[in-house]
Amino acid sequence: MCDAITQAVRHGVPRRTLLKAALGGAGAVAAGPALAGCAPDVTPAAASGAPPPADGARTQLVLLGTAGGPPAWPGSDRAGIASAVVMGDRYYVVDGGAGVLHQVRKARLGNWQSDTEGPLDALRAIFLTHLHSDHVVDVNNIMTAGLYNGLHRVDRKVQIWGPGNRGALPPLFGAPPAPEPVVPENPTPGTREMVDLLVRAFATDFNDRAFDNRKPVPAQLFEGLDVPLPAQVLADPNGTPHPRMSPIPFYEDDRVRVSVTLVQHAPVFPALAFRFDTDDGSIVFSGDTGPSENLIELAQGTDVLVHEVIAREWVESLLPQPRNDAQEGLFQHLINAHTVIEDVGPIAERAQAKTLVLSHLVPGNWPEEKWQAAQNGFSGTLVVGRDLDRIGVGSE
Ligand SMILES: [Zn+2]
């Protein structure tokens, strides 16, 4: 049995699916293209034991970073949460966690071999699921260092989409006193404002590059945009529980159509999930969320569901009883605003997803085999995500 099968089994791809694919049968979305010939594996992802490469597929999911949460996890080299949807010679980034710019180059996207003309030359847009720092911290690297990594070669402005300003602080968990709010005059800026504020913070750099190196200015390169949502679902700025809604398409170009729904990540609100549809199929990103009916509706019948996951066992060991207010607040957030391993499989099953990809792993340094428990309750293909994994969607 060739290496590709060994690697796929390590990632939880059911053997029945692999054997079917190896024999030329249908039904192996992740394993199909490479298994057809058991082709030699030359991508960095495959060399590290990832699922078989998706060579030839026009639409691909690329996991750029798979670690969840702000910790720089000891003993793990997973980059911060970020993914790419590749469609032909163009790609779209979902979330911009720590290391995203380096990961885009390692993933060989765009003109990745050029020192300065890529890999951002093929980037079309960025979609942020929510504004927790672990999802956005290196968007700034794309905006600033992007000037020397191909951003100036993009044929139109890169759009940076994400949630808008919720307009209110989250409720205080536990007994007063409340802390002093940070920037009380505007404590919860949304995506459009965040991009503008980052430009202001780095004005010295942008001006030096523009005046000394004659580089383009930010207004020529990118723009921040708030994902439009109906007023009625935003009426409660804390969105607890998150309002039920059906998916809304909000972005379309000649390659992809992107739809959005609200998910459960209280007290963060709005927190978004995205679905990308192309002529080849679909990829859904859960963002950070507890179990969400909105997400299950968004993901109905999808080819690939990229879902976050947290280990309850780890949370309980981190915050054992008895817990003070601060510890209880964090415990409740971790358990209710994320999805524990036991729930992920049944969610993917209800969504009738063909392939479930675990990403945003919390903790980011857990033994890989422990995540395999997510197969319980799910009859499709499970992939425990690794950085730089690629999964093809649709036929070649
Ligand atoms: Zn989050």
Side-chain angles (χ1 to χ4, degrees), residues 87-116:
M87 174 51 169
D89 58 0
R90 191 183 300 164
Y91 68 93
Y92 308 77
V93 164
V94 178
D95 285 331
V100 62
L101 180 54
H102 287 84
Q103 293 301 99
V104 164
R105 192 179 288 281
K106 283 183 191 169
R108 304 181 176 188
L109 300 180
N111 191 356
W112 62 276
Q113 289 173 299
S114 166
D115 287 348
T116 59

PDB file of all heavy atoms in Angstrom, residues 87-116:
ATOM      1  N   MET A  87      -8.624  29.069  -5.917  1.00  0.00           N
ATOM      2  CA  MET A  87      -9.473  28.807  -7.079  1.00  0.00           C
ATOM      3  C   MET A  87      -8.665  29.189  -8.307  1.00  0.00           C
ATOM      4  O   MET A  87      -8.487  30.385  -8.610  1.00  0.00           O
ATOM      5  CB  MET A  87     -10.774  29.609  -6.967  1.00  0.00           C
ATOM      6  CG  MET A  87     -11.678  29.541  -8.200  1.00  0.00           C
ATOM      7  SD  MET A  87     -12.013  27.857  -8.780  1.00  0.00           S
ATOM      8  CE  MET A  87     -13.330  28.147  -9.957  1.00  0.00           C
ATOM      9  N   GLY A  88      -8.125  28.170  -8.973  1.00  0.00           N
ATOM     10  CA  GLY A  88      -7.271  28.449 -10.128  1.00  0.00           C
ATOM     11  C   GLY A  88      -6.014  29.167  -9.696  1.00  0.00           C
ATOM     12  O   GLY A  88      -5.332  28.758  -8.761  1.00  0.00           O
ATOM     13  N   ASP A  89      -5.727  30.297 -10.356  1.00  0.00           N
ATOM     14  CA  ASP A  89      -4.493  31.022 -10.056  1.00  0.00           C
ATOM     15  C   ASP A  89      -4.717  32.142  -9.034  1.00  0.00           C
ATOM     16  O   ASP A  89      -3.915  33.056  -8.919  1.00  0.00           O
ATOM     17  CB  ASP A  89      -3.895  31.594 -11.341  1.00  0.00           C
ATOM     18  CG  ASP A  89      -4.867  32.524 -12.054  1.00  0.00           C
ATOM     19  OD1 ASP A  89      -5.999  32.719 -11.541  1.00  0.00           O
ATOM     20  OD2 ASP A  89      -4.494  33.057 -13.119  1.00  0.00           O
ATOM     21  N   ARG A  90      -5.796  32.048  -8.296  1.00  0.00           N
ATOM     22  CA  ARG A  90      -6.116  33.098  -7.331  1.00  0.00           C
ATOM     23  C   ARG A  90      -6.443  32.440  -5.995  1.00  0.00           C
ATOM     24  O   ARG A  90      -6.843  31.279  -5.939  1.00  0.00           O
ATOM     25  CB  ARG A  90      -7.341  33.873  -7.844  1.00  0.00           C
ATOM     26  CG  ARG A  90      -7.647  35.134  -7.099  1.00  0.00           C
ATOM     27  CD  ARG A  90      -8.907  35.776  -7.652  1.00  0.00           C
ATOM     28  NE  ARG A  90      -8.791  36.111  -9.076  1.00  0.00           N
ATOM     29  CZ  ARG A  90      -9.829  36.393  -9.853  1.00  0.00           C
ATOM     30  NH1 ARG A  90     -11.053  36.339  -9.350  1.00  0.00           N
ATOM     31  NH2 ARG A  90      -9.657  36.699 -11.108  1.00  0.00           N
ATOM     32  N   TYR A  91      -6.270  33.177  -4.915  1.00  0.00           N
ATOM     33  CA  TYR A  91      -6.645  32.603  -3.620  1.00  0.00           C
ATOM     34  C   TYR A  91      -7.217  33.669  -2.681  1.00  0.00           C
ATOM     35  O   TYR A  91      -7.048  34.872  -2.889  1.00  0.00           O
ATOM     36  CB  TYR A  91      -5.465  31.870  -2.975  1.00  0.00           C
ATOM     37  CG  TYR A  91      -4.316  32.734  -2.519  1.00  0.00           C
ATOM     38  CD1 TYR A  91      -4.244  33.217  -1.216  1.00  0.00           C
ATOM     39  CD2 TYR A  91      -3.292  33.067  -3.395  1.00  0.00           C
ATOM     40  CE1 TYR A  91      -3.184  34.014  -0.797  1.00  0.00           C
ATOM     41  CE2 TYR A  91      -2.230  33.847  -2.984  1.00  0.00           C
ATOM     42  CZ  TYR A  91      -2.183  34.310  -1.677  1.00  0.00           C
ATOM     43  OH  TYR A  91      -1.132  35.092  -1.282  1.00  0.00           O
ATOM     44  N   TYR A  92      -7.905  33.168  -1.675  1.00  0.00           N
ATOM     45  CA  TYR A  92      -8.602  33.974  -0.679  1.00  0.00           C
ATOM     46  C   TYR A  92      -8.160  33.466   0.688  1.00  0.00           C
ATOM     47  O   TYR A  92      -8.046  32.247   0.887  1.00  0.00           O
ATOM     48  CB  TYR A  92     -10.124  33.819  -0.828  1.00  0.00           C
ATOM     49  CG  TYR A  92     -10.599  34.082  -2.243  1.00  0.00           C
ATOM     50  CD1 TYR A  92     -10.426  33.123  -3.249  1.00  0.00           C
ATOM     51  CD2 TYR A  92     -11.174  35.294  -2.579  1.00  0.00           C
ATOM     52  CE1 TYR A  92     -10.834  33.366  -4.546  1.00  0.00           C
ATOM     53  CE2 TYR A  92     -11.582  35.552  -3.884  1.00  0.00           C
ATOM     54  CZ  TYR A  92     -11.406  34.584  -4.863  1.00  0.00           C
ATOM     55  OH  TYR A  92     -11.800  34.831  -6.154  1.00  0.00           O
ATOM     56  N   VAL A  93      -7.922  34.376   1.617  1.00  0.00           N
ATOM     57  CA  VAL A  93      -7.456  33.975   2.948  1.00  0.00           C
ATOM     58  C   VAL A  93      -8.595  34.121   3.948  1.00  0.00           C
ATOM     59  O   VAL A  93      -9.338  35.115   3.923  1.00  0.00           O
ATOM     60  CB  VAL A  93      -6.234  34.826   3.364  1.00  0.00           C
ATOM     61  CG1 VAL A  93      -5.968  34.713   4.868  1.00  0.00           C
ATOM     62  CG2 VAL A  93      -4.996  34.375   2.582  1.00  0.00           C
ATOM     63  N   VAL A  94      -8.745  33.119   4.808  1.00  0.00           N
ATOM     64  CA  VAL A  94      -9.733  33.172   5.883  1.00  0.00           C
ATOM     65  C   VAL A  94      -8.987  33.201   7.216  1.00  0.00           C
ATOM     66  O   VAL A  94      -8.308  32.245   7.570  1.00  0.00           O
ATOM     67  CB  VAL A  94     -10.686  31.961   5.832  1.00  0.00           C
ATOM     68  CG1 VAL A  94     -11.682  32.009   6.986  1.00  0.00           C
ATOM     69  CG2 VAL A  94     -11.418  31.909   4.495  1.00  0.00           C
ATOM     70  N   ASP A  95      -9.086  34.311   7.896  1.00  0.00           N
ATOM     71  CA  ASP A  95      -8.405  34.599   9.162  1.00  0.00           C
ATOM     72  C   ASP A  95      -6.902  34.782   8.947  1.00  0.00           C
ATOM     73  O   ASP A  95      -6.302  34.210   8.026  1.00  0.00           O
ATOM     74  CB  ASP A  95      -8.677  33.535  10.230  1.00  0.00           C
ATOM     75  CG  ASP A  95     -10.098  33.677  10.805  1.00  0.00           C
ATOM     76  OD1 ASP A  95     -10.626  34.808  10.817  1.00  0.00           O
ATOM     77  OD2 ASP A  95     -10.670  32.661  11.247  1.00  0.00           O
ATOM     78  N   GLY A  96      -6.321  35.615   9.817  1.00  0.00           N
ATOM     79  CA  GLY A  96      -4.914  35.988   9.636  1.00  0.00           C
ATOM     80  C   GLY A  96      -4.140  35.850  10.932  1.00  0.00           C
ATOM     81  O   GLY A  96      -3.598  36.820  11.457  1.00  0.00           O
ATOM     82  N   GLY A  97      -4.064  34.621  11.444  1.00  0.00           N
ATOM     83  CA  GLY A  97      -3.357  34.367  12.702  1.00  0.00           C
ATOM     84  C   GLY A  97      -1.844  34.472  12.546  1.00  0.00           C
ATOM     85  O   GLY A  97      -1.315  34.729  11.459  1.00  0.00           O
ATOM     86  N   ALA A  98      -1.146  34.254  13.647  1.00  0.00           N
ATOM     87  CA  ALA A  98       0.309  34.443  13.692  1.00  0.00           C
ATOM     88  C   ALA A  98       1.009  33.599  12.635  1.00  0.00           C
ATOM     89  O   ALA A  98       0.812  32.388  12.560  1.00  0.00           O
ATOM     90  CB  ALA A  98       0.831  34.075  15.077  1.00  0.00           C
ATOM     91  N   GLY A  99       1.797  34.267  11.811  1.00  0.00           N
ATOM     92  CA  GLY A  99       2.609  33.567  10.816  1.00  0.00           C
ATOM     93  C   GLY A  99       1.971  33.459   9.446  1.00  0.00           C
ATOM     94  O   GLY A  99       2.537  32.829   8.548  1.00  0.00           O
ATOM     95  N   VAL A 100       0.821  34.094   9.237  1.00  0.00           N
ATOM     96  CA  VAL A 100       0.071  33.843   7.996  1.00  0.00           C
ATOM     97  C   VAL A 100       0.883  34.182   6.745  1.00  0.00           C
ATOM     98  O   VAL A 100       0.839  33.443   5.751  1.00  0.00           O
ATOM     99  CB  VAL A 100      -1.296  34.574   8.010  1.00  0.00           C
ATOM    100  CG1 VAL A 100      -1.144  36.079   8.093  1.00  0.00           C
ATOM    101  CG2 VAL A 100      -2.119  34.189   6.777  1.00  0.00           C
ATOM    102  N   LEU A 101       1.646  35.271   6.780  1.00  0.00           N
ATOM    103  CA  LEU A 101       2.384  35.654   5.571  1.00  0.00           C
ATOM    104  C   LEU A 101       3.446  34.604   5.214  1.00  0.00           C
ATOM    105  O   LEU A 101       3.586  34.212   4.049  1.00  0.00           O
ATOM    106  CB  LEU A 101       3.029  37.027   5.779  1.00  0.00           C
ATOM    107  CG  LEU A 101       3.843  37.580   4.605  1.00  0.00           C
ATOM    108  CD1 LEU A 101       3.027  37.615   3.317  1.00  0.00           C
ATOM    109  CD2 LEU A 101       4.363  38.976   4.944  1.00  0.00           C
ATOM    110  N   HIS A 102       4.161  34.124   6.219  1.00  0.00           N
ATOM    111  CA  HIS A 102       5.157  33.076   5.960  1.00  0.00           C
ATOM    112  C   HIS A 102       4.481  31.787   5.495  1.00  0.00           C
ATOM    113  O   HIS A 102       5.009  31.076   4.636  1.00  0.00           O
ATOM    114  CB  HIS A 102       5.983  32.807   7.217  1.00  0.00           C
ATOM    115  CG  HIS A 102       6.956  33.897   7.521  1.00  0.00           C
ATOM    116  ND1 HIS A 102       6.615  35.041   8.208  1.00  0.00           N
ATOM    117  CD2 HIS A 102       8.260  34.030   7.207  1.00  0.00           C
ATOM    118  CE1 HIS A 102       7.664  35.823   8.304  1.00  0.00           C
ATOM    119  NE2 HIS A 102       8.682  35.244   7.710  1.00  0.00           N
ATOM    120  N   GLN A 103       3.334  31.494   6.053  1.00  0.00           N
ATOM    121  CA  GLN A 103       2.650  30.256   5.685  1.00  0.00           C
ATOM    122  C   GLN A 103       2.151  30.309   4.238  1.00  0.00           C
ATOM    123  O   GLN A 103       2.154  29.308   3.532  1.00  0.00           O
ATOM    124  CB  GLN A 103       1.492  29.991   6.647  1.00  0.00           C
ATOM    125  CG  GLN A 103       1.916  29.678   8.080  1.00  0.00           C
ATOM    126  CD  GLN A 103       2.819  28.464   8.180  1.00  0.00           C
ATOM    127  OE1 GLN A 103       4.031  28.596   8.276  1.00  0.00           O
ATOM    128  NE2 GLN A 103       2.238  27.280   8.153  1.00  0.00           N
ATOM    129  N   VAL A 104       1.701  31.475   3.807  1.00  0.00           N
ATOM    130  CA  VAL A 104       1.260  31.622   2.413  1.00  0.00           C
ATOM    131  C   VAL A 104       2.422  31.303   1.470  1.00  0.00           C
ATOM    132  O   VAL A 104       2.257  30.628   0.455  1.00  0.00           O
ATOM    133  CB  VAL A 104       0.716  33.048   2.170  1.00  0.00           C
ATOM    134  CG1 VAL A 104       0.622  33.341   0.684  1.00  0.00           C
ATOM    135  CG2 VAL A 104      -0.647  33.211   2.828  1.00  0.00           C
ATOM    136  N   ARG A 105       3.602  31.758   1.826  1.00  0.00           N
ATOM    137  CA  ARG A 105       4.771  31.467   0.971  1.00  0.00           C
ATOM    138  C   ARG A 105       5.129  29.981   1.035  1.00  0.00           C
ATOM    139  O   ARG A 105       5.388  29.343   0.007  1.00  0.00           O
ATOM    140  CB  ARG A 105       5.967  32.335   1.361  1.00  0.00           C
ATOM    141  CG  ARG A 105       7.084  32.270   0.333  1.00  0.00           C
ATOM    142  CD  ARG A 105       8.263  33.135   0.685  1.00  0.00           C
ATOM    143  NE  ARG A 105       8.043  34.560   0.543  1.00  0.00           N
ATOM    144  CZ  ARG A 105       8.069  35.220  -0.626  1.00  0.00           C
ATOM    145  NH1 ARG A 105       8.285  34.564  -1.741  1.00  0.00           N
ATOM    146  NH2 ARG A 105       7.877  36.522  -0.663  1.00  0.00           N
ATOM    147  N   LYS A 106       5.115  29.428   2.255  1.00  0.00           N
ATOM    148  CA  LYS A 106       5.435  27.996   2.383  1.00  0.00           C
ATOM    149  C   LYS A 106       4.420  27.138   1.623  1.00  0.00           C
ATOM    150  O   LYS A 106       4.751  26.049   1.142  1.00  0.00           O
ATOM    151  CB  LYS A 106       5.428  27.592   3.858  1.00  0.00           C
ATOM    152  CG  LYS A 106       6.650  28.024   4.628  1.00  0.00           C
ATOM    153  CD  LYS A 106       6.558  27.500   6.055  1.00  0.00           C
ATOM    154  CE  LYS A 106       7.605  28.125   6.952  1.00  0.00           C
ATOM    155  NZ  LYS A 106       7.349  27.823   8.381  1.00  0.00           N
ATOM    156  N   ALA A 107       3.194  27.631   1.526  1.00  0.00           N
ATOM    157  CA  ALA A 107       2.153  26.882   0.810  1.00  0.00           C
ATOM    158  C   ALA A 107       2.289  27.032  -0.699  1.00  0.00           C
ATOM    159  O   ALA A 107       1.511  26.458  -1.457  1.00  0.00           O
ATOM    160  CB  ALA A 107       0.772  27.342   1.266  1.00  0.00           C
ATOM    161  N   ARG A 108       3.263  27.809  -1.142  1.00  0.00           N
ATOM    162  CA  ARG A 108       3.563  27.982  -2.567  1.00  0.00           C
ATOM    163  C   ARG A 108       2.394  28.595  -3.320  1.00  0.00           C
ATOM    164  O   ARG A 108       2.074  28.199  -4.450  1.00  0.00           O
ATOM    165  CB  ARG A 108       3.962  26.643  -3.199  1.00  0.00           C
ATOM    166  CG  ARG A 108       5.126  25.989  -2.480  1.00  0.00           C
ATOM    167  CD  ARG A 108       5.544  24.690  -3.120  1.00  0.00           C
ATOM    168  NE  ARG A 108       6.725  24.122  -2.465  1.00  0.00           N
ATOM    169  CZ  ARG A 108       7.405  23.077  -2.898  1.00  0.00           C
ATOM    170  NH1 ARG A 108       7.039  22.483  -4.016  1.00  0.00           N
ATOM    171  NH2 ARG A 108       8.443  22.621  -2.238  1.00  0.00           N
ATOM    172  N   LEU A 109       1.768  29.560  -2.690  1.00  0.00           N
ATOM    173  CA  LEU A 109       0.677  30.270  -3.355  1.00  0.00           C
ATOM    174  C   LEU A 109       1.256  31.468  -4.103  1.00  0.00           C
ATOM    175  O   LEU A 109       2.304  32.007  -3.742  1.00  0.00           O
ATOM    176  CB  LEU A 109      -0.356  30.726  -2.328  1.00  0.00           C
ATOM    177  CG  LEU A 109      -1.009  29.607  -1.509  1.00  0.00           C
ATOM    178  CD1 LEU A 109      -2.030  30.178  -0.524  1.00  0.00           C
ATOM    179  CD2 LEU A 109      -1.667  28.571  -2.417  1.00  0.00           C
ATOM    180  N   GLY A 110       0.519  31.899  -5.147  1.00  0.00           N
ATOM    181  CA  GLY A 110       0.970  33.051  -5.912  1.00  0.00           C
ATOM    182  C   GLY A 110       2.375  32.844  -6.446  1.00  0.00           C
ATOM    183  O   GLY A 110       2.826  31.715  -6.672  1.00  0.00           O
ATOM    184  N   ASN A 111       3.086  33.959  -6.614  1.00  0.00           N
ATOM    185  CA  ASN A 111       4.465  33.909  -7.109  1.00  0.00           C
ATOM    186  C   ASN A 111       5.395  33.705  -5.913  1.00  0.00           C
ATOM    187  O   ASN A 111       6.174  34.588  -5.542  1.00  0.00           O
ATOM    188  CB  ASN A 111       4.780  35.220  -7.849  1.00  0.00           C
ATOM    189  CG  ASN A 111       6.081  35.142  -8.625  1.00  0.00           C
ATOM    190  OD1 ASN A 111       6.803  34.138  -8.571  1.00  0.00           O
ATOM    191  ND2 ASN A 111       6.402  36.207  -9.331  1.00  0.00           N
ATOM    192  N   TRP A 112       5.325  32.502  -5.350  1.00  0.00           N
ATOM    193  CA  TRP A 112       5.994  32.245  -4.066  1.00  0.00           C
ATOM    194  C   TRP A 112       7.507  32.180  -4.188  1.00  0.00           C
ATOM    195  O   TRP A 112       8.223  32.323  -3.194  1.00  0.00           O
ATOM    196  CB  TRP A 112       5.469  30.945  -3.440  1.00  0.00           C
ATOM    197  CG  TRP A 112       5.723  29.720  -4.275  1.00  0.00           C
ATOM    198  CD1 TRP A 112       4.964  29.261  -5.301  1.00  0.00           C
ATOM    199  CD2 TRP A 112       6.839  28.836  -4.173  1.00  0.00           C
ATOM    200  NE1 TRP A 112       5.509  28.129  -5.842  1.00  0.00           N
ATOM    201  CE2 TRP A 112       6.673  27.837  -5.161  1.00  0.00           C
ATOM    202  CE3 TRP A 112       7.954  28.763  -3.339  1.00  0.00           C
ATOM    203  CZ2 TRP A 112       7.576  26.803  -5.345  1.00  0.00           C
ATOM    204  CZ3 TRP A 112       8.855  27.720  -3.512  1.00  0.00           C
ATOM    205  CH2 TRP A 112       8.667  26.760  -4.510  1.00  0.00           C
ATOM    206  N   GLN A 113       8.019  31.979  -5.403  1.00  0.00           N
ATOM    207  CA  GLN A 113       9.466  31.846  -5.552  1.00  0.00           C
ATOM    208  C   GLN A 113      10.175  33.184  -5.702  1.00  0.00           C
ATOM    209  O   GLN A 113      11.390  33.250  -5.617  1.00  0.00           O
ATOM    210  CB  GLN A 113       9.778  30.960  -6.757  1.00  0.00           C
ATOM    211  CG  GLN A 113       9.424  29.505  -6.506  1.00  0.00           C
ATOM    212  CD  GLN A 113       9.570  28.649  -7.745  1.00  0.00           C
ATOM    213  OE1 GLN A 113       8.894  28.895  -8.742  1.00  0.00           O
ATOM    214  NE2 GLN A 113      10.433  27.658  -7.698  1.00  0.00           N
ATOM    215  N   SER A 114       9.415  34.247  -5.916  1.00  0.00           N
ATOM    216  CA  SER A 114      10.031  35.562  -6.090  1.00  0.00           C
ATOM    217  C   SER A 114      10.281  36.211  -4.728  1.00  0.00           C
ATOM    218  O   SER A 114       9.442  36.140  -3.841  1.00  0.00           O
ATOM    219  CB  SER A 114       9.115  36.450  -6.928  1.00  0.00           C
ATOM    220  OG  SER A 114       9.530  37.799  -6.839  1.00  0.00           O
ATOM    221  N   ASP A 115      11.410  36.877  -4.588  1.00  0.00           N
ATOM    222  CA  ASP A 115      11.704  37.553  -3.326  1.00  0.00           C
ATOM    223  C   ASP A 115      10.687  38.636  -3.017  1.00  0.00           C
ATOM    224  O   ASP A 115      10.309  38.832  -1.868  1.00  0.00           O
ATOM    225  CB  ASP A 115      13.098  38.201  -3.384  1.00  0.00           C
ATOM    226  CG  ASP A 115      14.201  37.163  -3.308  1.00  0.00           C
ATOM    227  OD1 ASP A 115      13.890  36.006  -2.982  1.00  0.00           O
ATOM    228  OD2 ASP A 115      15.370  37.526  -3.568  1.00  0.00           O
ATOM    229  N   THR A 116      10.240  39.359  -4.031  1.00  0.00           N
ATOM    230  CA  THR A 116       9.426  40.545  -3.756  1.00  0.00           C
ATOM    231  C   THR A 116       8.129  40.634  -4.561  1.00  0.00           C
ATOM    232  O   THR A 116       7.297  41.488  -4.273  1.00  0.00           O
ATOM    233  CB  THR A 116      10.230  41.830  -4.052  1.00  0.00           C
ATOM    234  OG1 THR A 116      10.626  41.805  -5.423  1.00  0.00           O
ATOM    235  CG2 THR A 116      11.452  41.932  -3.155  1.00  0.00           C
TER     236      THR A 116
END
